[in-house]
Amino acid sequence: MTPEQIDAVQASFRQVAAVREDAAAQFYDRLFTLDPGLRPLFKGDMAEQQRKLMATLGLAVGSLKAPEALAGPLRELGARHRDYGVQDEHYATVAEALLWTLERNLGPAFTDDVRGAWVALYGMVAEGMRRT
């Protein structure tokens, strides 16, 4: 990711983190709307799952200047997700739900550049998770 993309992701994440509970709930609502078949993969407390989502995003965003630090955690996360039944095609649905959530919460601040930066970040995260 370029320095400009890193700055864009970090600045926009600060905005979304301010409404983290609503944003996380919106993300999962959108995810299950896009693919209701994913709902059974989530057996635990959804409030806890929402906290984990925001924590993972925070870790990824906070590690953008040293992405090598994410390699191990992403592999572990990917392995757990595979064990839960996540398949490669689910990553595209997650990306769509994430971008929708960001757009909804950032409004006009969700420019093409910000969108491109998040697409780059998500691509990096998804690739790291698939390396299990």
Side-chain angles (χ1 to χ4, degrees), residues 23-97:
Q26 292 165 3
F27 167 83
Y28 284 106
D29 286 345
R30 184 67 177 164
L31 183 68
F32 301 145
T33 296
L34 292 170
D35 186 348
L38 292 175
R39 182 69 181 96
L41 298 180
F42 296 87
K43 296 175 179 35
D45 176 21
M46 283 308 296
E48 177 63 21
Q49 183 61 41
Q50 292 167 4
R51 285 189 288 279
K52 288 179 182 179
L53 168 70
M54 295 308 290
T56 300
L57 286 173
L59 175 66
V61 170
S63 300
L64 284 174
K65 293 185 178 171
E68 63 280 354
L70 280 176
L74 288 178
R75 276 193 307 274
E76 292 170 11
L77 185 62
R80 283 195 310 272
H81 279 74
R82 188 184 63 236
D83 290 345
Y84 299 146
V86 172
Q87 299 175 12
D88 278 346
E89 61 268 16
H90 296 147
Y91 285 92
T93 309
V94 169
E96 187 176 343

Side-chain angles (χ1 to χ4, degrees), residues 98-119:
L98 176 62
L99 294 172
W100 178 90
T101 303
L102 291 166
E103 181 175 20
R104 181 176 177 114
N105 285 280
L106 294 172
F110 193 65
T111 64
D112 288 344
D113 288 342
V114 171
R115 178 185 178 81
W118 276 97
V119 167

Side-chain angles (χ1 to χ4, degrees), residues 14-25:
R14 282 191 294 274
Q15 290 178 265
V16 173
V19 293
R20 76 188 76 211
E21 290 174 10
D22 288 341

